[in-house]
Amino acid sequence: MQFLYPFFLWGLLAAAIPLIIHLFNFRRTKKVYFTNVAFLRAVNTTTSSFRRLKHLLIMAARMAFIIALVLAFAQPFFPSKTGVGIKVGGISSLYIDNSLSMQNELDKKSYLDKAINKVEELLLSFPQGSQLQLITNDFSADEHAVGNTQQIKERTTSIKFTHSPRTLEQVLNRQKNLASKHNSQGGNQYIWFSDFQKSTVGNLSKLSLDSTDRLFLVPVQSKAIQNIFVDSVWLNTPFVREMQVNQLSVKLFNTGETAVENLPVKLLIDGVQVSSTIATIPAKSSTMSTFSFNIQGKGFKKANISFDDTPITFDNDYFFVLNVAPKIKVLHLSGQNTSGKYLPAVFANDSVFTYKNYAASNVDVGLFKTVDFIILEGLQNIEGSMKLALDDFVKSGGSLMLIPNQSPDLKSYNDFLSAFNIRNIQAKKSITSEVTPLAEPVKSSSFFLDIFDNSTQKEMIQMPNQNALITWQAVGEKLLNFRNNQPFLTVSEVASGRVYLLGAPLDIQFGEFARNALFVPIMYKIAAQSVAQEQTAFSFESNTISVVLDEVKTEVNARQPIFTLRRNKMEFIPVQHLVGNLLTIELPKANQLNENQLLESGYYELILDGKVQKVLAFNHDHKESMMDFYTVSELKNLLGAKKNIQVFDKVDDADFVSTFNEQNFGVALWKYFIIAALLFLALEIFIIKMMK
């Protein structure tokens, strides 16, 4: 038997007080004389013997009461079975996994509720004076404090599900960092309640634990569960076109051991079903589904993919936003002696485009950052600040098209285009009588796929007669070329941008390309591909997101605009930073929200001065949807070999708390000594009252 607080044993000296009182009776005696002393002597002898026995029993009961009470305060216990118990001098840090996967249910009760209930039971086992700490995936400021059992129990009532999963390495590092800020008298104990989801716990082999610390793993799960979720969604065209057939591709993933057959999957836009399909998903694999839909009305549309998959329901809807018929910003820069009549006819009279035309010698290069597509037509040379600005524009994701001058400065062209891996630009003598027809394009290529429909895929088309002014080393894809394979129109991928190079001016003396039926659809397609696809949805795992806004106008010396995120009745101001038109937002943690607020998948309106600036869609991370967990045997194989790490079977066991107590606290005896003290006190009262 050992004692938790052995310094209380000094209280055993108090057991001598009844002994002293009974051995030295300081009461004064008074002699009384009687005539018949023989009879009184016999009575006196009998009374003294009985009184002496009674006093000895009372003394023994009092001494036993004091001894039992002192031992109860010293908290005796039998050592734990492991031989290494919980150290009172250290900090006991409890971690409750409140990630979304803990929404799974067992016996109609969520894993999180089961974990909280067991933690509350376990708190009763810690002795008074224990330094306790509770952390969750929120990593909130409240976790810095060390409290008693009552304070920790109060905190468990406010735990909510969070959108931020943490790796166990992050959890352990946080526990160690927080424990190091408090003066502990011995090793620390870390107790984890988690479902140990393989996709979120990280690499368990990287767990580094001090030799004086102990780690207890309590799995809160049973087995892997089948789940279906949307892996990704993308458009098959650069943007959504109004009143035309659009196609959306969806990748569905099945985490289960059995295939899912004939799963109805729906596409809804603004709450109305516009398309549906039936999906069959192999086990532990994915499948592709395509939705065709027609949409009316421009602007942002709330869309989502929906299906019914139980028991896991938090990822049955995937939310995203479609921007229908966005404005394509085209900037046309003309050189000297350039008629430039063909391009305005394509872009100026179409509401899809915002078209601006400037002389190249009189343009503010700052405009380049505000457009999607720049056309250089008839520039003799490209130098100076324009060259640097165009280089930044392309490498930032813009699309640039170069239509050469009738007498280009080839050195300037080579210097400029070499940065885009277009080299060896040479002049070819232009003779109108030597024009030859262009070769038919590859109609099945991704560029021409939606230019030629099924009825024209196999038809011969009238190709324009054309001559080339320049030749170059073809880099990238040849969109149009001559029958001798000499390039006429090529596209080169540069970082996230594109560079298109045409082999001759658009003037009629060089050919018929600008008057051919292919000219308009090709220019439309180039402009359409220049639109940077906006991110349709964001993940809660990305705590910081960036959003490109339309021009935000503020007055001189005005305060920084404050944006608000709103979903239904919930509204909050996130941490934000605005630079130009780029707004960076930091999502709040679950504990930073007000009571009854919760970040859920869905649509959030970005509000400025009461007006909706943009609609954003948020979804939970795919990692949470992978319903594959470490089993108890796997955890023991990975970590059980270490002496200071203990893995319990599972939290569902009815005797979990008692087993934990026996293994780590031992068998506490203080309750029995309290009972013994009360019994000795009752015995003393009995002796006084009954022995007369």
Side-chain angles (χ1 to χ4, degrees):
M1 185 173 68
Q2 298 181 12
F3 296 94
L4 201 59
Y5 301 107
F7 54 87
F8 275 107
L9 295 178
W10 288 102
L12 292 176
L13 296 176
I17 296 175
L19 179 63
I20 294 173
I21 292 175
H22 284 276
L23 290 181
F24 302 96
N25 189 348
F26 297 105
R27 291 179 302 171
R28 290 187 176 183
T29 60
K30 186 178 180 180
K31 293 183 179 180
V32 179
Y33 296 94
F34 292 93
T35 56
N36 195 350
V37 294
F39 174 75
L40 291 176
R41 186 181 297 112
V43 174
N44 184 51
T45 302
T46 305
T47 303
S48 298
S49 301
F50 182 80
R51 183 183 301 161
R52 187 178 298 108
L53 175 62
K54 180 179 178 180
H55 286 184
L56 288 175
L57 291 175
I58 293 174
M59 179 189 69
R62 289 175 177 175
M63 293 179 67
F65 166 76
I66 294 174
I67 292 172
L69 191 63
V70 170
L71 292 176
F73 276 99
Q75 294 197 25
F77 65 94
F78 290 127
S80 64
K81 296 180 179 179
T82 59
V84 182
I86 294 289
K87 298 180 180 179
V88 178
I91 293 176
S92 296
S93 179
L94 296 96
Y95 162 66
I96 297 180
D97 181 1
N98 60 335
S99 60
L100 293 174
S101 61
M102 294 286 284
Q103 290 182 356
N104 293 331
E105 294 185 354
L106 188 64
D107 300 330
K108 297 182 179 181
K109 198 170 186 180
S110 71
Y111 288 173
L112 180 60
D113 288 338
K114 284 182 172 290
I116 291 175
N117 289 343
K118 289 301 178 182
V119 167
E120 291 177 350
E121 290 181 32
L122 189 62
L123 288 174
L124 300 176
S125 303
F126 285 92
Q128 294 296 325
S130 297
Q131 299 185 85
L132 300 175
Q133 198 170 56
L134 176 66
I135 73 168
T136 64
N137 290 334
D138 297 323
F139 282 13
S140 65
D142 295 337
E143 299 169 357
H144 289 261
V146 171
N148 55 34
T149 55
Q150 184 59 34
Q151 292 170 329
I152 299 300
K153 186 175 181 179
E154 290 176 357
R155 280 199 54 211
T156 60
T157 61
S158 62
I159 296 177
K160 305 176 184 177
F161 290 105
T162 182
H163 57 274
S164 302
R166 306 286 184 179
T167 66
L168 294 182
E169 185 180 11
Q170 292 174 328
V171 171
L172 182 59
N173 289 337
R174 180 166 178 80
Q175 287 180 307
K176 291 194 294 186
N177 291 336
L178 293 178
S180 65
K181 296 179 181 179
H182 300 274
N183 296 324
S184 60
Q185 301 175 1
N188 303 311
Q189 301 84 37
Y190 309 119
I191 307 171
W192 292 350
F193 291 82
S194 172
D195 57 7
F196 296 99
Q197 190 176 19
K198 290 184 177 180
S199 57
T200 60
V201 298
N203 190 350
L204 297 182
S205 62
K206 291 185 178 181
L207 295 180
S208 177
L209 193 66
D210 295 339
S211 58
T212 57
D213 295 338
R214 299 193 68 201
L215 174 62
F216 305 94
L217 278 63
V218 187
V220 191
Q221 49 87 21
S222 54
K223 60 181 180 180
I225 303 173
Q226 182 165 282
N227 185 36
I228 309 298
F229 66 91
V230 176
D231 180 83
S232 53
V233 171
W234 68 93
L235 287 167
N236 294 2
T237 53
F239 56 88
V240 180
R241 295 168 293 185
E242 186 183 11
M243 301 303 295
Q244 296 187 39
V245 177
N246 299 276
Q247 285 194 331
L248 183 80
S249 294
V250 178
K251 184 178 180 181
L252 298 167
F253 195 91
N254 175 17
T255 67
E257 300 288 347
T258 59
V260 173
E261 298 182 354
N262 301 324
L263 175 69
V265 185
K266 299 176 291 185
L267 169 62
L268 296 91
I269 297 179
D270 287 339
V272 179
Q273 181 176 329
V274 298
S275 184
S276 64
T277 188
I278 301 296
T280 297
I281 316 171
K284 294 286 185 180
S285 186
S286 61
T287 189
M288 303 290 298
S289 295
T290 302
F291 296 88
S292 298
F293 64 97
N294 193 303
I295 195 167
Q296 184 177 3
K298 298 179 181 179
F300 293 102
K301 303 293 181 181
K302 299 177 181 178
N304 69 292
I305 301 296
S306 181
F307 50 86
D308 186 14
D309 171 41
T310 55
I312 312 301
T313 59
F314 73 84
D315 54 3
N316 284 3
D317 287 274
Y318 184 87
F319 302 92
F320 57 101
V321 176
L322 297 176
N323 189 5
V324 180
K327 289 284 188 179
I328 303 174
K329 304 177 183 67
V330 179
L331 179 62
H332 180 197
L333 303 180
S334 305
Q336 293 181 351
N337 302 322
T338 302
S339 62
K341 61 181 180 179
Y342 297 106
L343 293 175
V346 175
F347 299 115
N349 299 319
D350 196 319
S351 61
V352 174
F353 304 102
T354 300
Y355 174 78
K356 294 180 180 180
N357 187 5
Y358 293 93
S361 59
N362 188 29
V363 65
D364 180 7
V365 296
L367 287 175
F368 295 178
K369 296 181 179 180
T370 65
V371 299
D372 304 306
F373 182 31
I374 297 178
I375 305 173
L376 304 179
E377 184 182 11
L379 274 68
Q380 188 173 18
N381 54 55
I382 307 169
E383 297 176 339
S385 60
M386 177 175 288
K387 176 183 176 182
L388 296 175
L390 288 172
D391 185 76
D392 291 339
F393 170 75
V394 173
K395 291 179 179 177
S396 298
S399 293
L400 173 67
M401 185 175 188
L402 177 57
I403 302 173
N405 183 274
Q406 295 185 16
S407 55
D409 182 346
L410 296 180
K411 182 179 183 304
S412 174
Y413 274 40
N414 276 293
D415 289 344
F416 173 63
L417 294 174
S418 62
F420 311 129
N421 295 322
I422 301 175
R423 299 183 176 85
N424 197 25
I425 302 173
Q426 299 179 7
K428 180 180 179 183
K429 188 176 181 181
S430 178
I431 302 175
T432 306
S433 59
E434 294 182 357
V435 294
T436 58
L438 296 175
E440 276 201 13
V442 180
K443 298 178 181 179
S444 60
S445 69
S446 59
F447 185 87
F448 290 99
L449 192 60
D450 56 352
I451 291 179
F452 299 102
D453 56 23
N454 294 333
S455 62
T456 58
Q457 278 287 343
K458 297 182 179 179
E459 291 183 5
M460 295 290 292
I461 59 175
Q462 183 66 38
M463 297 301 296
N465 293 318
Q466 191 66 41
N467 196 0
L469 178 67
I470 59 174
T471 62
W472 64 95
Q473 182 179 346
V475 177
E477 181 183 359
K478 289 183 182 179
L479 301 180
L480 293 174
N481 56 282
F482 293 94
R483 293 179 179 178
N484 63 357
N485 208 32
Q486 179 183 332
F488 179 69
L489 175 62
T490 62
V491 56
S492 300
E493 302 280 347
V494 181
S496 57
R498 295 184 179 92
V499 176
Y500 298 86
L501 180 57
L502 195 66
L506 297 178
D507 295 343
I508 188 63
Q509 61 178 317
F510 293 96
E512 304 170 347
F513 175 61
R515 296 187 175 188
N516 188 268
L518 277 178
F519 178 68
V520 172
I522 286 177
M523 296 306 298
Y524 266 48
K525 185 61 179 287
I526 292 175
Q529 287 190 334
S530 68
V531 178
Q533 288 195 10
E534 296 188 49
Q535 193 165 344
T536 59
F538 298 92
S539 170
F540 284 121
E541 186 187 31
S542 304
N543 291 326
T544 302
I545 65 170
S546 297
V547 181
V548 179
L549 302 172
D550 293 334
E551 186 176 359
V552 180
K553 296 182 179 180
T554 56
E555 297 180 1
V556 179
N557 298 327
R559 62 178 176 81
Q560 183 80 358
I562 299 177
F563 293 86
T564 303
L565 278 177
R566 181 175 67 193
R567 181 177 185 270
N568 299 329
K569 295 182 179 180
M570 183 180 72
E571 191 169 333
F572 58 90
I573 300 175
V575 178
Q576 55 194 268
H577 185 58
L578 180 65
V579 178
N581 291 350
L582 184 65
L583 176 66
T584 303
I585 297 173
E586 182 178 334
L587 297 177
K589 297 180 176 62
N591 64 290
Q592 294 174 327
L593 297 170
N594 296 330
E595 189 176 356
N596 299 324
Q597 287 187 336
L598 180 65
L599 288 181
E600 297 178 324
S601 296
Y603 309 105
Y604 291 75
E605 295 175 331
L606 189 64
I607 309 294
L608 177 63
D609 296 332
K611 296 181 180 179
V612 178
Q613 302 293 316
K614 212 152 197 173
V615 178
L616 308 176
F618 287 90
N619 297 281
H620 297 296
D621 186 63
H622 301 327
K623 293 180 180 178
E624 289 285 342
S625 299
M626 301 296 294
M627 296 297 149
D628 195 10
F629 311 98
Y630 280 107
T631 63
V632 174
S633 58
E634 288 175 333
L635 290 173
K636 289 182 177 179
N637 290 336
L638 288 170
L639 303 171
K642 298 181 180 179
K643 293 182 178 180
N644 54 348
I645 296 181
Q646 183 177 352
V647 181
F648 284 88
D649 287 341
K650 54 183 178 179
V651 77
D652 305 336
D653 294 339
D655 59 346
F656 160 72
V657 174
S658 59
T659 302
F660 186 90
N661 291 342
E662 292 178 5
Q663 292 184 355
N664 300 283
F665 291 106
V667 179
L669 303 176
W670 64 271
K671 294 180 182 179
Y672 303 106
F673 282 97
I674 288 289
I675 295 172
L678 294 175
L679 290 176
F680 286 126
L681 185 61
L683 179 61
E684 178 187 353
I685 296 173
F686 176 81
I687 294 172
I688 294 173
K689 296 293 184 181
M690 302 304 296
M691 294 184 65
K692 296 183 180 179

